Amino acid sequence: MHFTINGEVIEIEADIRTSLLDLMRNSLGLLGTKKGCDQGACGACTVLVDGERINSCLALAVQYQGRSITTVEGLATDGNLHPLQKAFIEHDGFQCGYCTPGQLCSAIGMASEIERNIPSAVTSDLSASATAIDDTEIRERMSGNLCRCGAYNGIVEAITETLAHQPVVATEKRARA
Ligand code: FES
Ligand code: FES
């Protein structure tokens, strides 16, 4: 199988039944992406595929050949943390950190969805040219990412600040270049 992960072209032999999560963790040593439930319920395994967030535990690796995959290891550039990573630190957006890689990738994917004006289940004005972002929108859009430590307030604060001040999506694209 062949992939581009965090900008690196990878050729690897693997069982055709291998999930993308298991391939990354067990075969490629990319341990940043976490396995929580292994059934699509917790979001710990979230990665970006061509900028879209997916649960890698539900994805067969073979289906993602030729795609550009970004994991938490690919978010920093030249030793500098992604602005969202810095914001998580500043706002205490984690405790044990187990959910954090998935939260970060999910939030970056979410920023792309907002940029494309994709509504959520709580978006009130579907005719607006831009989605109004508030706590309710962010909590709904991030509801697939559970945090057993309950760091939700810090996570929402970090995302809110980053969305307001940084080109979240553009930065992620640079990380994948
Ligand atoms: S490990 Fe994939 S959603 Fe929980
Ligand atoms: S920081 Fe521990 S699960 Fe989220």
Side-chain angles (χ1 to χ4, degrees), residues 21 34-45 55-58:
L21 177 61
K34 299 296 187 281
K35 180 181 283 190
C37 63
D38 208 21
Q39 57 182 2
C42 74
C45 65
N55 288 335
S56 59
C57 70
L58 296 182

Side-chain angles (χ1 to χ4, degrees), residues 93-100 103 146-151 155:
F94 55 88
Q95 188 174 328
C96 76
Y98 197 84
C99 72
T100 310
Q103 302 278 3
L146 305 184
C147 175
R148 288 164 181 79
C149 297
I155 291 169

